[in-house]
Amino acid sequence: MKSSKANTILVTGANGQLGTCIKAIANNYPLYSFVFADSSSLDITDRNQVLQYMSNSQIDYIINCAAYTAVDLAEDHKEKAFEINVKGVENLAIACKRFSCTLIHVSTDFVFNGNKNAPYLEGDNTHPLNYYGASKLNGEQIIQQALSKYVIIRTSWLFSEFGNNFVKTMVRLGQEKKELSIVADQYGSPTYAIDLAHILLKFIASSSTSYGLYHFSNHGATTWYNFAAEIFKLQNQEIRLHKTTSKQFASRAIRPKYSVLETKKVKETLNVEIRNWQSALKEMISKL
């Protein structure tokens, strides 16, 4: 991926959590011009609109942050999740092929079933347990079949000062309640969406042509319970926390018990250091 002054990056799903994070750091990448599109200015589920949009613009890279991410709702709104996570991705892939554009796409740890006891590698077998994970995997496969110039980055447990996420929910609940029950038997790696945004842009800024599939999260594995405990500690909030199980919590969608991602490949490809989730969380909380 060569960098040049003329390169234009289209960011889809620009008003979501990750898209907003890219907006927040775009000034750090002055060699690029950014076009931020939300669903009202570019509906990725409308193929004709996508092709028309691309033919009227000179786009070199698309960073696709548009996604249906409501994991539980996806079980009952499969058509909606399919439209965005599969059909929309297919439309972007077709447009990238037609207009010689590189696609950078964000996927999820939920493509795995969580039966492994060591961090998941990019080449490990996928087996989603819920429809959200299945739709995201389907999107990945479409990109891999359609394009040679693409980067797919799977990530996990996104949080930031923008949008809706676990950290902001905990901070709010900490002000409203004296005690909370939090799931303590699901393991993953929290990821600061600002750190992910930098990684996405570093793929473009590097002269690497290492296309393909990557994993990125902040370092360290934890449970939702321990994640919550760290949030309240940093907030100096006195909350009585109780451990609960996935079974007791009974959410609509089944989630993997273990979905820690191995990030060695992205580290070596981009020559980056990845900080642990605790220091990333500390920075994010300081911005609230």
Side-chain angles (χ1 to χ4, degrees):
M1 290 178 218
K2 277 200 206 102
S3 99
S4 93
K5 289 193 180 191
N7 279 343
T8 299
I9 301 168
L10 168 64
V11 180
T12 57
N15 289 346
Q17 177 175 205
L18 184 56
T20 308
C21 286
I22 295 173
K23 270 184 212 166
I25 65 166
N27 288 343
N28 297 352
Y29 298 84
L31 295 183
Y32 302 94
S33 68
F34 289 84
V35 179
F36 291 99
D38 63 3
S39 57
S40 62
S41 56
L42 177 61
D43 177 3
I44 67 165
T45 68
D46 182 334
R47 183 171 299 174
N48 291 336
Q49 196 186 126
V50 171
L51 293 172
Q52 189 66 51
Y53 190 100
M54 291 292 284
S55 71
N56 293 337
S57 327
Q58 282 196 305
I59 305 293
D60 301 289
Y61 297 91
I62 295 176
I63 299 179
N64 181 33
C65 301
Y68 188 96
T69 58
V71 179
D72 290 317
L73 286 175
E75 296 299 312
D76 298 313
H77 300 92
K78 291 189 167 102
E79 208 172 286
K80 181 80 174 153
F82 181 87
E83 279 293 297
I84 300 167
N85 294 347
V86 182
K87 207 77 205 148
V89 171
E90 182 178 45
N91 294 339
L92 292 175
I94 288 166
C96 282
K97 188 159 196 174
R98 187 173 298 184
F99 298 102
S100 300
C101 177
T102 300
L103 180 59
I104 296 175
H105 175 71
V106 180
S107 192
T108 175
D109 56 326
F110 281 15
V111 298
F112 298 112
N113 65 7
N115 290 346
K116 199 179 174 187
N117 290 321
Y120 278 97
L121 299 161
E122 286 81 358
D124 282 341
N125 287 338
T126 51
H127 192 285
L129 298 176
N130 54 52
Y131 188 76
Y132 164 71
S135 69
K136 292 295 285 182
L137 179 60
N138 199 341
E140 286 184 13
Q141 291 163 340
I142 285 166
I143 293 167
Q144 289 167 321
Q145 284 157 16
L147 299 173
S148 55
K149 293 199 316 188
Y150 69 86
V151 171
I152 296 166
I153 301 192
R154 294 177 182 144
T155 192
S156 59
W157 297 24
L158 276 191
F159 68 89
S160 72
E161 55 270 38
F162 308 110
N164 297 317
N165 56 69
F166 183 77
V167 178
K168 286 175 77 178
T169 301
M170 288 301 113
V171 169
R172 177 177 54 78
L173 289 175
Q175 288 157 355
E176 295 169 3
K177 297 184 184 292
K178 290 194 166 47
E179 49 189 301
L180 287 169
S181 293
I182 310 282
V183 171
D185 63 352
Q186 287 170 23
Y187 289 82
S189 299
T191 306
Y192 188 18
I194 290 278
D195 289 5
L196 174 60
H198 277 296
I199 290 290
L200 298 174
L201 292 170
K202 280 190 169 109
F203 265 104
I204 296 172
S206 77
S207 53
S208 163
T209 50
S210 302
Y211 301 113
L213 184 60
Y214 291 86
H215 288 169
F216 178 78
S217 64
N218 285 109
H219 269 174
T222 191
T223 62
W224 292 110
Y225 176 88
N226 289 330
F227 190 16
E230 187 69 15
I231 294 162
F232 295 128
K233 189 176 100 181
L234 289 169
Q235 282 284 98
N236 293 317
Q237 286 175 308
E238 291 288 325
I239 305 288
R240 199 176 307 130
L241 285 182
H242 304 285
K243 291 182 178 180
T244 188
T245 64
S246 307
K247 215 171 192 172
Q248 287 169 313
F249 192 70
S251 58
R252 183 77 181 84
I254 302 166
R255 286 159 170 79
K257 285 282 180 84
Y258 181 95
S259 61
V260 178
L261 300 173
E262 174 57 70
T263 56
K264 193 175 167 205
K265 184 182 173 187
V266 79
K267 241 177 107 165
E268 290 176 353
T269 302
L270 296 179
N271 192 24
V272 290
E273 280 305 312
I274 301 173
R275 59 178 164 171
N276 63 36
W277 65 266
Q278 293 94 330
S279 67
L281 176 64
K282 194 174 182 181
E283 183 186 312
M284 179 250 156
I285 295 264
S286 74
K287 292 179 180 173
L288 279 182

